[in-house]
Amino acid sequence: MQDVTSAKNRLQAVRERIERACARSGRDPSSVTLVAVSKTHPAEAVAAMAQAGQTLFGESYVQEALPKLDALAGLKLRWHFIGRLQKNKAKYVAGRFELIHSVDSIELAHMLHKKCDFLGIVQPVLVQVNLGCESQKAGCSLDDTLPLAEAVAGMDGLALKGVMLLPPWDENPEANRGLFARACELRAELSARLGLPMPELSMGMSHDLEQAVEEGATLVRVGTDLFGAREPG
Ligand SMILES: *Cc1c(COP(=O)(O)O)cnc(C)c1O
């Protein structure tokens, strides 16, 4: 649990890291948006972070997220869904989140589209790509990315906004710089191939947000450095 003062200090520190990375890479700090990843942390911690000035939060688990969104509905916060999404849960998240980062298969996209079509809404989404080639990690393979992006772009219940990357964990924050750069190129390639603006590139977490921002991230997803360590498991 966090009080507002510690939330303010942590938020300030993360914002300064983003600003310094922008300065180093000649980017406008307003081109990078911080998603505060509140998974596993209680609604009270989110409320403290909101009081500290953060309005955009990210959640990863459907069952945990929905009650939290309901509990905090009075605060008018913005929410992104960033976690792995099972097809049978798609109907619960459609329309509840401003952006879904983790669309990694045509089947999942179709389930989301069906629900959005039923609700008469358009859901902004990102396609999650797996450039690290880890077999059990979420994200579609590089070869599947163009077909997935084309399919999503063709579903009128979905609005394709860009690419999300969750690289393999590596202690060394420089380890994934090449993958960050590749994701940035991929977003430009997809945008050109589809003739669609794809403004968002979601990548970078607590330990490597600098590298991600320097390589072009527009959304950085930071949990630990804002809320503290999560319980393992
Ligand atoms: C948990 C999570 C994060 C935040 O990671 P930290 O290392 O705690 O900053 C970012 N992205 C995704 C997809 C996550 O699940």
Side-chain angles (χ1 to χ4, degrees):
M1 267 267 277
Q2 278 189 308
D3 60 28
V4 178
T5 309
S6 104
K8 270 191 183 140
N9 291 338
R10 286 170 183 262
L11 183 59
Q12 181 65 20
V14 169
R15 283 182 176 162
E16 281 170 9
R17 288 171 59 195
I18 294 171
E19 280 163 21
R20 284 195 297 271
C22 283
R24 279 195 297 278
S25 49
R27 298 186 60 195
D28 179 346
S30 72
S31 66
V32 182
T33 300
L34 172 62
V35 182
V37 177
S38 48
K39 67 175 183 223
T40 79
H41 297 286
E44 292 75 20
V46 177
M49 194 55 71
Q51 242 186 299
Q54 177 69 16
T55 54
L56 175 60
F57 294 87
E59 285 283 335
S60 290
Y61 309 110
V62 177
Q63 265 116 324
E64 181 198 345
L66 297 181
K68 219 185 278 185
L69 265 62
D70 290 338
L72 294 164
L75 295 184
K76 306 275 178 258
L77 303 175
R78 300 165 55 202
W79 295 95
H80 286 186
F81 190 83
I82 64 167
R84 186 166 214 172
L85 185 53
Q86 289 166 300
K87 293 184 223 16
N88 62 359
K89 303 246 173 76
K91 56 182 180 286
Y92 302 116
V93 305
R96 297 293 313 268
F97 295 84
E98 192 181 285
L99 183 67
I100 297 172
H101 292 223
S102 45
V103 174
D104 63 355
S105 74
I106 293 179
E107 295 75 27
L108 172 61
H110 187 69
M111 296 300 281
L112 284 168
H113 159 73
K114 257 179 33 187
K115 176 72 178 189
C116 293
D117 204 39
F118 172 77
L119 295 171
I121 59 170
V122 177
Q123 170 72 62
V125 300
L126 306 179
V127 291
Q128 181 176 350
V129 298
N130 179 355
L131 300 177
C133 300
E134 278 177 305
S135 51
Q136 62 272 60
K137 270 271 173 82
C140 76
S141 70
L142 185 57
D143 289 345
D144 291 338
T145 305
L146 181 61
L148 172 60
E150 277 173 339
V152 171
M155 295 178 189
D156 52 17
L158 304 180
L160 180 59
K161 298 294 183 186
V163 169
M164 187 270 228
L165 176 71
L166 178 59
W169 168 258
D170 197 303
E171 233 172 273
N172 174 5
E174 288 296 331
N176 287 320
R177 185 185 284 279
L179 292 184
F180 291 148
R182 184 69 194 94
C184 191
E185 285 168 14
L186 181 63
R187 172 181 64 150
E189 285 164 25
L190 292 175
S191 176
R193 288 287 287 269
L194 299 177
L196 268 183
M198 299 207 3
E200 303 295 354
L201 181 55
S202 167
M203 59 188 193
M205 315 200 300
S206 291
H207 79 299
D208 58 8
L209 71 87
E210 283 87 353
Q211 287 76 12
V213 167
E214 287 167 20
E215 300 302 332
T218 65
L219 292 163
V220 292
R221 311 178 307 262
V222 177
T224 306
D225 286 356
L226 291 173
F227 291 101
R230 291 179 291 273
E231 300 285 323

